[in-house]
Amino acid sequence: MGKIKLGLLLLLMTLVGTPMTGYGMQLSESELYARSACLMDADSGRVLYSKNSEQKLPMASTTKIMTCILALEDGRMDDLVTVSAYAASQPKVHMGAKTGEQFYLQDLLYALMLNSDNDAAVMIAEQVGGSVEGFAEKMNLKARELGCDDTYFITPNGLDAENKNGIHSTTAKDLARILRYCIMESPKKAEFLAITQMPAYTFWNYSKTQIYQCTNHNAFLGMMDGALTGKTGFTGNAGYCYVGALQWEGKTLIVSLLACGWPNNRGYKWEDTRKLMTYGLANYEYRDVFEQKDLGRIAVLNGRQQGTTIDEVATTSLEYGSDVEQMHLSLLLRKDEQITVHYQLPPQLEAPVRKGQQIGVAQYFLGKELLQEYPIYAGEQVDVRDYYWCLEQIGAAYCA
């Protein structure tokens, strides 16, 4: 199937009877082949669509996105990597490299991400982590840092594995989070995209005795306008898996699929990916939801300031700490999604109060989910009333 123009795809889905409402295109869980699926807004990390997206499942070679980004961040691309006997023993898909052969680390990343070579993954792991076990520790540490608490790595290539701590597994939500890090947050995001977008790559071993060719197997890159990156996977336990991203008209969407069919259903993952990407593009638009308003003033008990008399209550203005007219909060939302703003402020303050002292927060919620919060500060200093100030005020009132 050739690349589909996104505008045409949306039109086609309408013509063939894709359910629509006043709020846009609908997508039921039964329409997806995957047992677990997630559509994520890459900018915010918010889940836009979920089908069992927190269910732990094996993820096969989609594992390799973590292997790649760690190698880019922690490895040196010009390092020479020597093939160990263990690396050479890895099953297909593999380079077929021989024990003792040497390669540059950078070349192995193309074998990893384009061909999905299992021996390349082990070579990378042993070079960057000292051992497969050491590299797995790095993978799990990075997963924890990203908030992927339902992910557990054992292998760098995603082959089915189990140990005393569990099985090699993730969730669709965690897998989308990991790809979000690779393309949006990592200091090596540009290098990650360059590798995963390369159509083909050829390299020699270090001794120039053998040439290796890689072809990008991420067919999604040619399926939809804006296709950005992705990684396929398959094992007997995991089934077909996929994680990929698309960037179109200012939106960046990530789709992750686990257990999306078994042989002979290789194409299910592409159908599900197109459906979820189209759903996201058809239903979600950016809206600026920042509430431009004067935050007013708040009373400061036992406070004094210029112009305040003894029988008056001092006050301070409330502000965000920057020009409110320059503040924006652009969120990818469905038409029927409404943001509510909660201002968490005390009923009054007690002197002294410093200018710039945080007083409270403005919280932006979608339903019960907190999306963003802004600190609110005191705009003026209010000193505490003391004995001498009170005497001064009484004297002034008496003289008047």
Side-chain angles (χ1 to χ4, degrees), residues 100-117:
E101 240 182 314
Q102 290 185 308
F103 300 91
Y104 286 112
L105 180 60
Q106 179 169 307
D107 292 334
L108 292 176
L109 293 181
Y110 287 93
L112 176 80
M113 299 303 288
L114 304 191
N115 276 359
S116 199
D117 289 323

Side-chain angles (χ1 to χ4, degrees), residues 217-254:
H217 294 287
N218 180 17
F220 178 64
L221 291 176
M223 287 183 181
M224 292 182 75
D225 287 333
L228 192 63
T229 187
K231 185 70 190 75
T232 58
F234 174 81
T235 66
N237 290 345
Y240 291 110
C241 303
Y242 184 66
V243 60
L246 177 145
Q247 197 168 63
W248 187 256
E249 294 183 343
K251 306 169 192 174
T252 305
L253 303 177
I254 294 172

Side-chain angles (χ1 to χ4, degrees), residues 202-234:
T202 301
F203 63 97
W204 292 87
N205 60 6
Y206 180 68
S207 61
K208 296 289 195 298
T209 58
Q210 181 68 45
I211 194 168
Y212 293 85
Q213 296 180 332
C214 306
T215 302
N216 198 325
H217 294 287
N218 180 17
F220 178 64
L221 291 176
M223 287 183 181
M224 292 182 75
D225 287 333
L228 192 63
T229 187
K231 185 70 190 75
T232 58
F234 174 81

Side-chain angles (χ1 to χ4, degrees), residues 67 70 84 86-87 90 121-142 152-157 161-165 168:
T67 303
L70 282 179
S84 68
Y86 180 64
Q90 295 301 296
V122 171
M123 292 180 229
I124 292 165
E126 291 176 339
Q127 179 68 23
V128 177
S131 65
V132 167
E133 294 76 17
F135 191 76
E137 289 182 15
K138 283 178 169 284
M139 298 172 84
N140 288 314
L141 179 60
K142 178 63 77 172
Y152 181 56
F153 291 107
I154 300 175
T155 71
N157 48 29
E162 182 175 2
N163 61 24
K164 63 181 182 180
N165 296 317
H168 186 89

Side-chain angles (χ1 to χ4, degrees), residues 11-18:
L11 176 62
L12 287 172
M13 296 193 76
T14 303
L15 293 175
V16 299
T18 301

Side-chain angles (χ1 to χ4, degrees), residues 39-41 44-48 284 332-333 337 366 369 371:
L39 171 67
M40 179 176 286
D41 169 24
S44 68
R46 187 165 75 91
V47 174
L48 307 180
Y284 288 87
L332 201 56
L333 299 168
E337 290 181 325
L366 178 61
E369 183 182 2
L371 300 181

Side-chain angles (χ1 to χ4, degrees), residues 76-370:
R76 293 187 297 271
M77 296 302 100
D78 58 353
D79 272 358
L80 271 180
V81 182
T82 302
V83 182
S84 68
Y86 180 64
S89 72
Q90 295 301 296
K92 292 183 178 179
V93 177
H94 61 198
M95 294 167 54
K98 304 296 189 294
T99 303
E101 240 182 314
Q102 290 185 308
F103 300 91
Y104 286 112
L105 180 60
Q106 179 169 307
D107 292 334
L108 292 176
L109 293 181
Y110 287 93
L112 176 80
M113 299 303 288
L114 304 191
N115 276 359
S116 199
D117 289 323
N118 292 318
D119 49 358
V122 171
M123 292 180 229
I124 292 165
E126 291 176 339
Q127 179 68 23
V128 177
S131 65
V132 167
E133 294 76 17
F135 191 76
E137 289 182 15
K138 283 178 169 284
M139 298 172 84
N140 288 314
L141 179 60
K142 178 63 77 172
R144 299 292 88 75
E145 290 175 0
L146 300 181
C148 299
D149 297 329
D150 293 317
T151 294
Y152 181 56
F153 291 107
I154 300 175
T155 71
N157 48 29
L159 293 177
D160 296 326
E162 182 175 2
N163 61 24
K164 63 181 182 180
N165 296 317
I167 67 170
H168 186 89
S169 59
T170 189
T171 66
K173 183 177 179 180
D174 278 2
L175 185 58
R177 279 178 175 166
I178 294 169
L179 185 61
R180 177 177 181 249
Y181 174 77
C182 293
I183 67 172
M184 304 295 287
E185 299 176 335
S186 170
K188 296 295 185 178
K189 60 188 178 183
E191 290 87 343
F192 180 90
L193 287 171
I195 291 170
T196 58
Q197 291 173 350
M198 186 70 70
Y201 186 81
T202 301
F203 63 97
W204 292 87
N205 60 6
Y206 180 68
S207 61
K208 296 289 195 298
T209 58
Q210 181 68 45
I211 194 168
Y212 293 85
Q213 296 180 332
C214 306
T215 302
N216 198 325
H217 294 287
N218 180 17
F220 178 64
L221 291 176
M223 287 183 181
M224 292 182 75
D225 287 333
L228 192 63
T229 187
K231 185 70 190 75
T232 58
F234 174 81
T235 66
N237 290 345
Y240 291 110
C241 303
Y242 184 66
V243 60
L246 177 145
Q247 197 168 63
W248 187 256
E249 294 183 343
K251 306 169 192 174
T252 305
L253 303 177
I254 294 172
V255 164
S256 55
L257 307 167
L258 299 175
C260 193
W262 273 258
N264 296 308
N265 299 306
R266 183 187 295 266
Y268 282 1
K269 62 182 179 290
W270 305 130
E271 293 184 44
D272 279 5
T273 298
R274 281 196 296 265
K275 286 178 181 178
L276 283 163
M277 292 296 190
T278 304
Y279 170 85
L281 294 170
N283 285 277
Y284 288 87
E285 295 292 341
Y286 276 104
R287 299 206 311 261
D288 186 358
V289 298
F290 186 79
E291 195 167 80
Q292 302 269 359
K293 63 176 288 184
D294 185 350
L295 296 176
R297 303 183 70 84
I298 189 170
V300 182
L301 300 183
N302 200 31
R304 64 182 175 92
Q305 56 192 159
Q306 188 72 29
T308 304
T309 63
I310 197 167
D311 58 348
E312 292 177 331
V313 177
T315 63
T316 179
S317 60
L318 298 173
E319 59 183 32
Y320 284 113
S322 59
D323 186 354
V324 69
E325 293 184 359
Q326 303 301 316
M327 296 180 70
H328 301 278
L329 178 56
S330 186
L331 297 175
L332 201 56
L333 299 168
R334 283 198 319 262
K335 290 181 180 179
D336 60 323
E337 290 181 325
Q338 297 300 320
I339 298 297
T340 56
V341 186
H342 298 169
Y343 293 93
Q344 302 291 338
L345 293 165
Q348 56 198 18
L349 302 175
E350 185 77 26
V353 174
R354 303 185 322 276
K355 178 179 171 62
Q357 176 181 327
Q358 184 172 343
I359 305 302
V361 292
Q363 298 177 317
Y364 286 72
F365 285 89
L366 178 61
K368 295 182 178 180
E369 183 182 2
L370 176 62

